[in-house]
């Protein structure tokens, strides 16, 4: 329990959203509060421009600086805050899912006009699987949007989580007057030209006529009625249900106008969890244990082909990490030392001597790590695997240069270890199939195979609908299924059986014909 104080003050989280809801803007405002950056626009540069959807070269250039912004750490109000950045582009969704395994809580940004969008649903699924505490920030109140009550219903229904508003908007769009902060019982006023909280008034009693003085009769009456309804409909906020991942507190504001952001941050610091226990296969690991342990959740390749080194991002699960100490690489059963581990303060990357549970350290690597690898002070621990989801797109990968088949295989293996995409090997004909979330990943793979491994690949269309990880307690049924579907059976990288269904119809039929087989759409079940 030696590091208790250090660990308790850490808050490691990610901000996630459907593209364009305001994740980057909110991140930037939080960094401004923490004094980690001083000018607006500093974070923007990490974002993959939306116009560049299919231009990998451009994305590569833009990604060049993203190592530094993968983790943004800063001190604020006695806390050490670690924000883990997630890629803005939908095609890199798997990266985001993996990053979510390294955080202790999440802030989801929802656009008041657009409501819950596809990507948000998927991200929430991951949070639900891991029971990650979630706060929702409804953004862009300076624009017209949905009725807040309707939006809350939509969030509950679509994200399958109970909500509890902790602030409430007073009108929106051009008529937006501010929010009533239920959590702190204060009125935060907004003046469009000022674009930040112009005044905060604490209200002992919302019935006080002082309210009318600030927002007029009509809005006062409506606010009181809304608050009454909220108290009637939603149970009182209970931090425990938030920490258990059952209830999401909801805040309203405008990230662009820096409105409601500080309030969000202050409440977040109060209620969000410090590093939580992490499940390993062997046992549950408590953050405050003396022994160090951590796992690799992300590998960032160096884009310079002359230096094929990577940075492995390690989330520290317990104890203290020290520079130059010997740690066990569990999969290799070998001790390793790291002389230049990096931490990420604000947007700078610097060598660190020590780091604690909750922190992320970057370890320069030349191919020793793959996603999910565990490092410890000596104990044999395996942190639970990170889920793979069924890809959306599939293609056969073929060798386009017969002289370079070795390089191609090595390249494919290493890129898959990095988690760039998923590899399935057909059990029937041995052909390799790459599964991705979006077209862009195929371009990334082709480009990197050529530039980093000197190998050329070509893609061949294969029409597949979903990858399903299958299991059954009845091995005879399983054997029968595999025989019947022989052409569509594959193994994933870990050697698990995967059924590649070629259409939604065929999949439904298979589920009907084989009720004793369970079909999973993610690899962690
Ligand atoms: P993302 O990371 O979730 O993809 O979203 P991002 O923060 O980049 O925001 C997307 C767009 O929404 C940006 O405009 C941003 O300025 C705008 N935005 C963010 N918060 C608010 C808000 O509270 N109110 C309003 N009205 N707009 C907001 P853009 O035109 O795409 O980019 P830019 O030209 O402003 O950089």
């Amino acid at each position: 329990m030696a590091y208790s104080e250090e660990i308790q003050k850490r808050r490691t989280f990610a901000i996630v959203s459907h593209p364009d809801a305001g994740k980057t803007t909110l991140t930037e405002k939080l960094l401004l509060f923490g004094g980690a950056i001083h000018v607006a626009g500093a974070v923007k540069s990490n974002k993959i421009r939306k116009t560049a959807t299919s231009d990998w070269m451009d994305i590569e250039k833009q990604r060049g600086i993203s190592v530094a912004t993968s983790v943004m750490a800063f001190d604020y109000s006695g806390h050490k805050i670690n924000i883990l950045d997630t890629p803005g582009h939908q095609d890199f969704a798997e990266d985001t899912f993996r990053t979510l395994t390294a955080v202790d809580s999440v802030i989801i940004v929802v656009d008041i006009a657009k409501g819950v969008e596809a990507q948000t649903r998927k991200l929430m699924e991951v949070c639900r699987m891991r029971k990650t505490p979630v706060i929702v920030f409804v953004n862009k109140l300076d624009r017209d949007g949905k009725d807040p009550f309707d939006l809350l219903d939509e969030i509950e229904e679509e994200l399958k989580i109970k909500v509890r508003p902790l602030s409430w908007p007073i009108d929106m769009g051009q008529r937006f007057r501010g929010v009533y902060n239920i959590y702190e019982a204060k009125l935060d006023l907004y003046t469009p030209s000022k674009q930040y909280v112009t005044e905060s008034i604490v209200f002992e009693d919302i019935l006080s006529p002082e309210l009318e003085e600030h927002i007029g009769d009509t809005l006062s009456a409506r606010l009181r009625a809304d608050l009454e309804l909220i108290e009637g409909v939603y149970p009182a906020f209970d931090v425990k249900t938030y920490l258990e991942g059952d209830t999401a507190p909801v805040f309203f504001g405008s990230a662009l106008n820096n409105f409601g952001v500080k309030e969000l941050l202050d409440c977040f610091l109060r209620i969000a969890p410090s590093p939580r226990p992490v499940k390993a296969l062997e046992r549950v690991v408590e953050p405050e244990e003396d022994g160090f342990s951590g796992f690799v959740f992300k590998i960032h390749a160096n884009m310079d082909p002359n230096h094929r080194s990577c940075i492995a991002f390690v989330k520290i699960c317990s104890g203290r990490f020290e520079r130059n100490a010997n740690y066990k690489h569990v999969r290799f059963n070998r001790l390793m030392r790291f002389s230049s581990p990096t931490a990420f303060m604000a947007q700078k990357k610097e060598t660190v001597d020590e780091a604690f549970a909750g922190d992320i350290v970057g370890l320069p690597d030349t191919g020793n790590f793959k996603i999910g690898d565990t490092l410890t002070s000596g104990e044999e621990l395996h942190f639970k695997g990170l889920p793979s989801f069924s890809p959306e797109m599939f293609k056969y990968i073929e060798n386009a240069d017969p002289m370079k088949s070795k390089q191609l295989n090595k390249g494919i293996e290493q890129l898959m270890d990095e988690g760039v995409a998923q590899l399935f090997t057909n059990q029937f004909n041995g052909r390799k199939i790459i599964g991705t979330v979006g077209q862009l990943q195929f371009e990334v793979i082709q480009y990197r195979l050529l530039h980093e491994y000197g190998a050329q690949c070509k893609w061949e269309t294969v029409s597949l609908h979903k990858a399903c990880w299958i299991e059954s307690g009845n091995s005879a049924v399983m054997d029968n299924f595999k025989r019947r579907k022989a052409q569509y059976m594959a193994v994933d990288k870990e050697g698990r059986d995967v059924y590649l269904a070629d259409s939604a119809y065929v999949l439904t039929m298979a589920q009907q014909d084989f009720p004793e087989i369970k079909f999973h759409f993610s690899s962690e079940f």
Side-chain angles (χ1 to χ4, degrees):
M1 298 292 160
Y3 318 118
S4 180
E5 206 176 303
E6 283 294 337
I7 293 167
Q8 286 302 322
K9 70 179 194 187
R10 277 161 169 75
R11 299 284 181 277
T12 303
F13 70 107
I15 303 177
V16 299
S17 75
H18 190 86
D20 259 356
K23 175 180 81 79
T24 314
T25 313
L26 181 63
T27 307
E28 185 174 282
K29 298 296 171 215
L30 293 178
L31 292 180
L32 281 166
F33 278 119
I37 55 168
H38 300 287
V39 284
V43 180
K44 267 278 180 298
S45 50
N46 179 26
K47 208 169 131 180
I48 292 167
R49 277 200 303 278
K50 285 149 219 147
T51 49
T53 42
S54 59
D55 186 350
W56 162 239
M57 284 297 289
D58 199 23
I59 286 165
E60 186 205 6
K61 265 184 248 141
Q62 293 181 48
R63 251 178 67 139
I65 48 101
S66 68
V67 169
T69 51
S70 288
V71 185
M72 288 162 280
F74 60 92
D75 295 312
Y76 176 77
S77 181
H79 290 88
K80 163 110 189 271
I81 298 174
N82 295 314
I83 304 181
L84 272 55
D85 192 29
T86 54
H89 200 290
Q90 293 194 49
D91 287 9
F92 296 109
E94 284 273 324
D95 250 28
T96 304
F97 300 150
R98 275 192 297 268
T99 299
L100 290 183
T101 64
V103 300
D104 298 303
S105 70
V106 160
I107 294 179
I108 295 184
V109 184
V110 173
D111 182 325
I112 182 81
K114 297 201 179 127
V116 174
E117 296 170 90
Q119 187 75 356
T120 324
R121 261 192 299 271
K122 194 101 192 258
L123 292 163
M124 185 62 213
E125 241 172 73
V126 182
C127 294
R128 235 190 348 265
M129 279 169 83
R130 313 185 69 86
K131 293 218 151 279
T132 310
V134 162
I135 294 183
V136 176
F137 182 74
V138 179
N139 191 26
K140 306 197 186 180
L141 264 291
D142 59 320
R143 295 225 184 124
D144 284 316
K146 301 187 178 195
D147 172 79
F149 281 112
D150 289 348
L151 182 63
L152 291 183
D153 287 349
E154 182 180 323
I155 294 173
E156 285 204 328
E157 202 165 297
E158 300 268 337
L159 298 185
K160 300 192 183 71
I161 186 164
K162 289 195 218 90
V163 297
R164 187 12 163 140
L166 288 188
S167 82
W168 196 251
I170 302 163
D171 226 327
M172 63 178 73
Q174 302 240 321
R175 302 164 315 281
F176 182 50
R177 293 302 311 278
V179 296
Y180 181 73
N181 188 327
I182 303 173
Y183 188 65
E184 294 175 44
K186 68 182 173 71
L187 180 70
D188 293 331
L189 291 177
Y190 170 80
T191 313
S193 57
K194 292 274 171 37
Q195 306 212 325
Y196 51 84
V197 178
T198 44
E199 209 177 335
S200 273
I201 307 116
V202 177
F203 270 84
E204 298 274 303
D205 181 3
I206 192 71
L207 295 176
S208 153
E210 205 191 332
L211 189 62
E212 272 79 357
E213 285 169 31
H214 292 289
I215 58 172
D217 293 352
T218 318
L219 288 179
S220 295
R222 197 158 100 199
L223 176 63
R224 289 194 186 105
D226 284 354
L227 292 177
E228 206 178 310
L229 191 57
I230 289 168
E231 297 311 319
V233 172
Y234 299 101
F237 175 60
D238 177 3
V239 179
K240 194 164 157 274
T241 61
Y242 156 69
L243 291 174
E244 285 165 355
D246 292 330
T247 306
V250 180
F251 285 84
F252 291 83
S254 167
L256 187 63
N257 295 304
N258 209 351
F259 191 87
V261 176
K262 184 170 180 301
E263 291 67 25
L264 170 76
L265 179 60
D266 288 342
C267 175
F268 171 81
L269 288 180
R270 238 180 289 166
I271 67 172
S274 53
R276 306 200 302 166
V278 187
K279 264 192 212 141
L281 275 182
E282 293 78 4
R283 65 186 182 86
V284 174
V285 176
E286 297 290 335
E288 294 179 18
E289 289 177 16
D290 287 344
F292 159 79
S293 68
F295 67 89
V296 177
F297 68 95
K298 171 178 176 143
I299 293 175
H300 200 296
N302 188 338
M303 290 303 168
D304 179 353
N306 297 323
H307 304 91
R308 203 191 295 142
S309 68
C310 307
I311 291 188
F313 288 80
V314 174
K315 160 81 187 276
I316 304 179
C317 300
S318 67
R320 186 172 76 133
F321 173 91
E322 259 178 274
R323 187 156 84 99
N324 281 326
N326 282 315
Y327 292 120
K328 178 169 164 176
H329 186 309
V330 174
R331 184 167 53 92
F332 289 169
N333 193 18
R334 192 175 89 202
L335 290 179
M336 288 178 84
R337 266 164 61 130
F338 304 97
S339 58
S340 46
T342 47
F344 307 83
M345 277 311 275
Q347 295 195 292
K348 283 199 295 289
K349 195 171 104 198
E350 49 195 43
T351 304
V352 282
D353 292 323
E354 60 172 16
F356 297 89
D359 287 338
I360 312 295
V361 285
L363 304 178
D365 176 41
T366 46
N368 284 317
F369 287 117
K370 61 181 183 180
I371 301 243
D373 274 346
T374 304
L375 282 176
T376 69
S377 298
E379 193 179 344
E380 185 80 7
L381 285 175
H382 298 82
F383 287 103
K384 262 189 98 182
L386 315 173
S388 302
F389 292 89
S390 173
E392 308 286 330
M393 299 173 100
F394 300 86
K395 282 183 188 180
Y396 282 123
I397 185 164
E398 296 293 343
N399 189 3
D401 179 354
M403 307 297 288
K404 298 278 173 65
S405 68
K406 239 182 167 165
Q407 285 89 331
L408 183 75
N409 287 334
K410 181 159 183 242
I412 294 175
E413 193 185 321
Q414 290 197 348
L415 293 184
M416 297 306 129
D417 283 351
E418 247 181 60
V420 173
Q422 291 182 59
L423 173 70
F424 302 100
T425 309
N426 190 306
Q427 296 183 19
F428 188 68
N429 56 20
R431 290 180 77 179
K432 290 189 166 101
I433 298 168
I434 302 285
T436 68
V437 178
Q439 173 61 27
L440 199 51
Q441 280 165 286
F442 291 115
E443 289 174 36
V444 171
I445 292 167
Q446 189 159 16
Y447 180 92
R448 290 190 53 191
L449 283 173
L450 183 63
H451 287 82
E452 292 170 37
Y453 300 90
Q456 286 189 46
C457 76
K458 58 178 191 253
W459 302 106
E460 206 176 295
T461 321
V462 49
S463 170
L464 291 173
H465 167 64
K466 277 254 181 312
C468 313
W469 284 262
I470 53 171
E471 63 161 349
S472 173
N474 186 335
S475 58
V477 169
M478 196 75 160
D479 288 345
N480 184 23
F481 180 84
K482 282 162 74 172
R483 241 189 336 270
R484 287 260 301 272
K485 300 285 181 190
Q487 285 182 334
Y488 294 95
M489 287 308 301
V491 284
D492 71 4
K493 250 175 64 33
E494 315 300 329
R496 288 173 294 211
D497 281 326
V498 178
Y499 165 51
L500 301 171
D502 53 344
S503 75
Y505 174 76
V506 170
L507 176 59
T508 314
M509 294 307 289
Q511 285 168 317
Q512 274 173 18
D513 292 348
F514 293 89
E516 280 186 77
I517 293 183
K518 284 204 190 106
F519 296 77
H520 300 279
F521 299 102
S522 89
S523 66
E524 199 178 87
F525 42 82

